[in-house]
Structure formats: structure tokens, C-alpha cells
Amino acid sequence: MTLLWIKALHLFFMIAWMAGIFYLPRLFVYHATTKEKVVKDQFKIMEKRLWFFVTPFALLTFIFGIWLIVLYGADWFAAAKWLHIKLLLVFALYIYHFYLYKLVKQFARDENKHSPLFYRFLNEAPVLVLLAIVSLAVVKYL
């Protein structure tokens, strides 16, 4: 029973984290588009709050994921090749998460270096990575 609760919490926090990961670059699109200072200042607040709101979800996703690996055991981990690929993709999402923070800081200093189109592409990247992660976790192929 414990295993199922840990898995449920892992999935819940992952979904909450991904919601923020999907929305933050969308805010960047709008922020990069506007010229009005008052609107830019509002976006700065929203971006910072959102990043700090979802970061604990990223941490809890990690904690419950590691807990699951421990519960399943070392032999299972060694044999689960699909999981090794999944973990590489998850690591890429954590890099992406902290890259978003770098962008939050650039916007906060009014030092945006990218176009709205760049942020539109940036917004789509985690969707494809998440598709691969979920596929590997459900199908467990490889």
C-alpha cells in the first residue's frame, strides 16, 4: 500500500510541477510582446511567484521518485533500462527548470534577449520531453 501512495504523490507533484513549467514560458511570450512598463512589472511579479511556487513541486517530485526507486530495489533499478532513459530526460527537465529561472532573472532586470517566437518554441519543448517520459514510464519498453 505504501508503494501506491508514494507513486500517487510522485505523480501529483509531477503534474503540479509540469503545470508551472508549461505556463511560465507562456508568460515570457506575453512579457516579450508588451511595451508598457506597468504590464512588464506585473509580468515580473507573476513570473517570479510562479517559479517559486512550482519549485517545491519539482523537489517533491524528485524526493518521491527517489523513494520509489528505493522501494523497488537495486536489482529492479539495474534491470529497468527504460528508467535510465527516463531519468536522463527528467534531468533535462530540471536543467530546463533552472534555465527558466535564469530567464526570470533576465526579465526582472529588463534584459530580455529573445523574441516572443523563441519563447513559443521554448514553451513546446517540455511537452515533447514529458510525452517521452510518460511513454517510458507506462510502456516500460527498453
Side-chain angles (χ1 to χ4, degrees):
M1 187 60 116
T2 300
L3 179 73
L4 295 177
W5 279 108
I6 301 305
K7 192 180 288 190
L9 290 169
H10 175 66
L11 288 170
F12 171 78
F13 289 120
M14 182 274 303
I15 291 166
W17 176 35
M18 287 300 103
I21 289 290
F22 293 156
Y23 188 56
L24 188 54
R26 180 56 45 190
L27 289 176
F28 294 160
V29 170
Y30 302 140
H31 193 158
T33 304
T34 190
K35 303 288 185 225
E36 298 179 39
K37 182 180 175 0
V38 68
V39 176
K40 286 184 179 208
D41 290 343
Q42 185 63 45
F43 278 123
K44 290 176 190 179
I45 293 167
M46 293 169 67
E47 292 157 357
K48 182 179 176 183
R49 285 182 180 171
L50 179 58
W51 193 87
F52 281 102
F53 179 74
V54 300
T55 297
F57 298 143
L59 179 62
L60 289 165
T61 300
F62 176 80
I63 289 168
F64 285 105
I66 295 299
W67 196 349
L68 281 171
I69 291 170
V70 169
L71 288 174
Y72 276 106
D75 291 338
W76 171 83
F77 179 75
K81 302 300 180 208
W82 65 269
L83 181 61
H84 301 159
I85 297 167
K86 176 191 170 209
L87 290 174
L88 283 173
L89 293 171
V90 169
F91 182 68
L93 281 179
Y94 280 98
I95 291 170
Y96 178 86
H97 179 85
F98 286 100
Y99 177 66
L100 292 180
Y101 182 67
K102 177 183 174 189
L103 295 174
V104 167
K105 298 299 273 182
Q106 285 178 352
F107 273 114
R109 295 186 308 264
D110 293 319
E111 296 174 358
N112 174 37
K113 299 175 177 139
H114 304 290
S115 71
L117 183 61
F118 171 82
Y119 295 115
R120 288 182 195 279
F121 282 112
L122 191 68
N123 189 218
E124 302 305 322
V127 174
L128 299 174
V129 175
L130 182 61
L131 174 62
I133 289 170
V134 169
S135 298
L136 285 165
V138 170
V139 177
K140 295 175 179 27
Y141 181 74
L142 292 179

